[in-house]
Amino acid sequence: MSVSAHYQHTVAGPVIFAGIGLHTGEHVRVAVRPAAADAGVLFVRTDVTDRDNRVPVTADAVCQTQLGTVINNAADVRVSTIEHLMAALAALSIDNCVVELDGPEVPIMDGSSEPFVQILDRAGRRRQDVHRRYIEILAPIVVEEGDKLASLTPSDRFEVAFEIDFTSQAIGHQRVDLVIDEDSFREELSNCRTFGFVRDVEALRAIGLARGGSMDNAVVIDGDRILNPEGLRRPDEFVRHKALDAIGDLYVLGSPIIGRFEGVLAGHGLNNAVVRALLANPRAWRVRTLAMELAQAG
């Protein structure tokens, strides 16, 4: 762990990008701007002018988890599909920033976190002279729903394991188990795309979802076939994307984790459920400030 990991970071300067929302199909323009230490990640809906348009990222702000993570504020201003950007912010150790957007949904880009990593690389990072606070897992937290499971258990580093099992031969049974830091996220997970089945598209669009989905921003499966002409970026791209999602969903805690996450057949709902279960059990975790420990050791 580098010395810079002991301190909070924000983006060094503003960066602007635009794209289409996966579920709304709307074109959205986004600006990521620096924020003060201890500010956390704040979304601002610049298209909303009649009520509070600031939506801070917290575990309690998550209001919907169907095929994406949605947050809202007390005025019911919502921001959808935050998880891929949140995963990039987590991996690049961006603790504090303001994300301004002129629509209801973070653009899906190519369906992975890689475009967000590239955007944040353009912005650069600035170290802030405030110690970074980590959430250290002290005791197991397990949430189960039928055959699905999400857990947080003690570890001396941040680990993510995920397991999926689909009847489609295009996916089948897949498992990934990684120690997560910036390098491993960039190399092992960041370019892994979201995925969906042709059979579900019409039903999803009927309830206002997947209106912007295409083979430009998702791996599309029809039965046992992958329809994307370019194929997969990795043989196990599907489970790696689920691990990416989990990293973004966990970062609604507002601090990086020292501990192990494991998901079995889980999704955004169970990811958020284990976060809420952790916060509801204060004996299962503590806040660690590594810079203070380094000073004491010296």
Side-chain angles (χ1 to χ4, degrees):
M1 187 174 292
S2 67
V3 173
S4 62
H6 298 303
Y7 294 93
Q8 294 183 25
H9 291 78
T10 187
V11 289
V15 63
I16 296 171
F17 62 96
I20 301 296
L22 173 63
H23 295 304
T24 61
E26 293 187 23
H27 184 271
V28 180
R29 182 179 169 91
V30 183
V32 182
R33 304 186 186 278
D38 291 333
V41 179
L42 172 69
F43 285 87
V44 179
R45 285 278 304 275
T46 59
D47 58 315
V48 175
T49 58
D50 62 338
R51 58 195 190 277
D52 183 11
N53 64 356
R54 297 161 56 88
V55 189
V57 176
T58 66
D60 291 337
V62 176
C63 63
Q64 188 175 316
T65 54
Q66 184 180 17
L67 299 180
T69 296
V70 184
I71 57 173
N72 70 351
N73 63 11
D76 200 29
V77 173
R78 299 190 174 202
V79 181
S80 302
T81 321
I82 67 168
E83 60 272 12
H84 302 165
L85 174 56
M86 291 298 294
L89 292 170
L92 271 60
S93 300
I94 302 296
D95 303 273
N96 309 298
C97 67
V98 176
V99 183
E100 298 175 350
L101 65 169
D102 65 359
E105 185 176 16
V106 176
I108 190 61
M109 311 306 280
D110 73 346
S112 77
S113 283
E114 189 170 55
F116 297 120
V117 169
Q118 294 167 347
I119 287 160
L120 293 170
D121 283 344
R122 291 207 314 268
R125 286 175 287 195
R126 176 168 57 84
R127 198 189 91 171
Q128 298 172 296
D129 292 327
V130 176
H131 297 157
R132 193 172 206 212
R133 289 184 293 273
Y134 290 78
I135 292 177
E136 181 182 16
I137 308 303
L138 302 177
I141 296 289
V142 181
V143 176
E144 296 181 82
E145 186 180 287
D147 58 352
K148 302 174 183 178
L149 177 146
S151 66
L152 287 165
T153 53
S155 175
D156 60 0
R157 57 194 182 179
F158 182 36
E159 303 173 1
V160 171
F162 217 101
E163 183 175 347
I164 59 174
D165 195 1
F166 285 80
T167 56
S168 168
Q169 292 180 20
I171 306 176
H173 179 267
Q174 298 182 359
R175 179 176 172 83
V176 68
D177 194 333
L178 294 168
V179 177
I180 302 298
D181 57 22
E182 180 177 336
D183 289 340
S184 67
F185 183 84
R186 286 178 183 269
E187 296 168 10
E188 303 286 348
L189 298 180
S190 68
N191 72 340
C192 296
R193 297 163 292 173
T194 192
F195 58 95
F197 292 87
V198 168
R199 65 171 186 257
D200 299 329
V201 170
E202 287 188 12
L204 290 172
R205 288 180 175 168
I207 59 172
L209 298 174
R211 291 177 177 176
S214 72
M215 284 186 284
D216 292 330
N217 54 41
V219 178
V220 181
I221 304 150
D222 185 10
D224 294 327
R225 295 186 304 125
I226 293 166
L227 300 186
N228 302 60
E230 76 279 9
L232 296 176
R233 294 176 175 175
R234 299 167 186 268
D236 58 352
E237 184 171 0
F238 304 102
V239 73
R240 287 174 183 265
H241 181 78
K242 297 289 279 185
L244 181 159
D245 277 345
I247 292 167
D249 287 342
L250 293 173
Y251 203 44
V252 302
L253 283 164
S255 294
I257 290 173
I258 300 174
R260 176 179 174 84
F261 170 85
E262 185 147 3
V264 178
L265 313 181
H268 300 294
L270 219 55
N271 294 346
N272 186 246
V274 79
V275 164
R276 289 175 182 256
L278 178 72
L279 293 177
N281 188 349
R283 294 183 179 179
W285 57 282
R286 66 172 178 172
V287 173
R288 279 182 62 184
T289 307
L290 301 185
M292 293 174 66
E293 295 176 11
L294 187 67
Q296 289 168 1

